[in-house]
Amino acid sequence: GAGVSQSPRYKVAKRGQDVALRCDPISGHVSLFWYQQALGQGPEFLTYFQNEAQLDKSGLPSDRFFAERPEGSVSTLKIQRTQQEDSAVYLCASSLVPGAGTQYFGPGTRLLVL
Amino acid sequence: QQQVKQSPQSLIVQKGGISIINCAYENTAFDYFPWYQQFPGKGPALLIAIRPDVSEKKEGRFTISFNKSAKQFSLHIMDSQPGDSATYFCAASMSMHQTGANNLFFGTGTRLTVIP
């Protein structure tokens, strides 16, 4: 399909491990967002890319969280030294036009930190 | 601080009935108000969206009512069906954000159950 894809779909990590979550946006979409969705809550913004430029990382909860989109397409969200409170679903969304337009979400990566 | 407040938390409706979910916001810079539908294990999917220059938008069985002065908007699902059972999120964003990020601020969600 031509939607947003994310991998892995599920990730179990031991506390202290590093994890990397991948997002493949819709081809040609300029804007890419990462959100964190805790159980029973709405998604919360983490960071935003316009092409390869990370324009907003105000939602990243700590310096253990790092995101990149080096070629303006695929993005990776990395969490270092995972903690139990990092357990959540991590959603990626893309949109065609910066500043406007529908955001299309991927299925998410469910991260469980033990 | 929750930028978008949503109610009710859960809703049970008989098949054929009307489901109504309400949201309120404070930030007058918001200029885009979408509703997303999320099924378990899936990402949110856009259902319908409105901009503040209109008071109502209808798409099939789904209607958004928007009250700019009250800073409130609501989703009405007419002739609710069991297949509509899902979690619904209202959201808001601003197109002229200083960083260029028109990220969405989501409500806390409403779990809708439509009973056959």
Side-chain angles (χ1 to χ4, degrees):
Chain A
V4 177
S5 60
Q6 293 185 244
S7 61
R9 290 296 315 278
Y10 303 92
K11 178 69 179 178
V12 179
K14 292 182 179 178
R15 190 172 59 178
Q17 274 186 327
D18 298 349
V19 298
L21 312 180
R22 177 187 169 108
C23 171
D24 281 85
I26 295 172
S27 178
H29 278 201
V30 171
S31 295
L32 186 146
F33 303 81
W34 283 97
Y35 292 86
Q36 180 190 58
Q37 185 173 23
L39 191 63
Q41 299 297 314
E44 291 192 356
F45 171 72
L46 294 176
T47 187
Y48 168 70
F49 289 87
Q50 190 174 113
N51 294 307
E52 69 280 1
Q54 187 176 21
L55 298 187
D56 192 329
K57 51 183 180 179
S58 62
L60 295 177
S62 78
D63 59 7
R64 296 186 295 104
F65 286 71
F66 171 77
E68 61 183 4
R69 194 187 185 195
E71 297 178 1
S73 55
V74 171
S75 177
T76 303
L77 176 67
K78 297 180 180 178
I79 309 173
Q80 297 177 324
R81 305 181 303 283
T82 53
Q83 302 295 313
Q84 285 187 324
E85 62 262 28
D86 300 335
S87 296
V89 175
Y90 290 85
L91 294 163
C92 175
S94 69
S95 68
L96 180 62
V97 179
T102 301
Q103 291 186 28
Y104 297 89
F105 283 81
T109 295
R110 183 176 296 274
L111 173 65
L112 177 62
V113 181
L114 302 176
Chain B
Q1 183 184 1
Q2 193 74 28
Q3 295 239 17
V4 179
K5 296 181 180 179
Q6 183 172 348
S7 63
Q9 190 173 2
S10 63
L11 182 61
I12 300 174
V13 173
Q14 292 277 358
K15 178 183 175 183
I18 303 174
S19 304
I20 302 174
I21 305 170
N22 301 298
C23 284
Y25 65 97
E26 286 298 324
N27 191 339
T28 56
F30 288 143
D31 58 6
Y32 177 67
F33 302 90
W35 284 88
Y36 279 81
Q37 179 188 56
Q38 187 175 31
F39 292 102
K42 306 288 187 184
L46 179 69
L47 202 57
I48 186 172
I50 198 168
R51 296 196 180 272
D53 51 344
V54 296
S55 60
E56 185 175 284
K57 183 174 181 181
K58 184 175 181 179
E59 289 184 0
R61 297 186 293 110
F62 302 93
T63 301
I64 299 179
S65 296
F66 186 82
N67 186 329
K68 188 174 180 178
S69 60
K71 292 184 284 187
Q72 296 175 347
F73 58 111
S74 60
L75 175 70
H76 291 64
I77 305 174
M78 312 299 287
D79 188 26
S80 299
Q81 299 296 312
D84 297 331
S85 297
T87 299
Y88 292 80
F89 292 96
C90 60
S93 68
M94 58 187 89
S95 58
M96 299 301 292
H97 193 280
Q98 58 184 5
T99 66
N102 59 316
N103 54 287
L104 294 165
F105 294 87
F106 283 87
T108 50
T110 297
R111 191 172 205 168
L112 172 65
T113 302
V114 181
I115 300 172

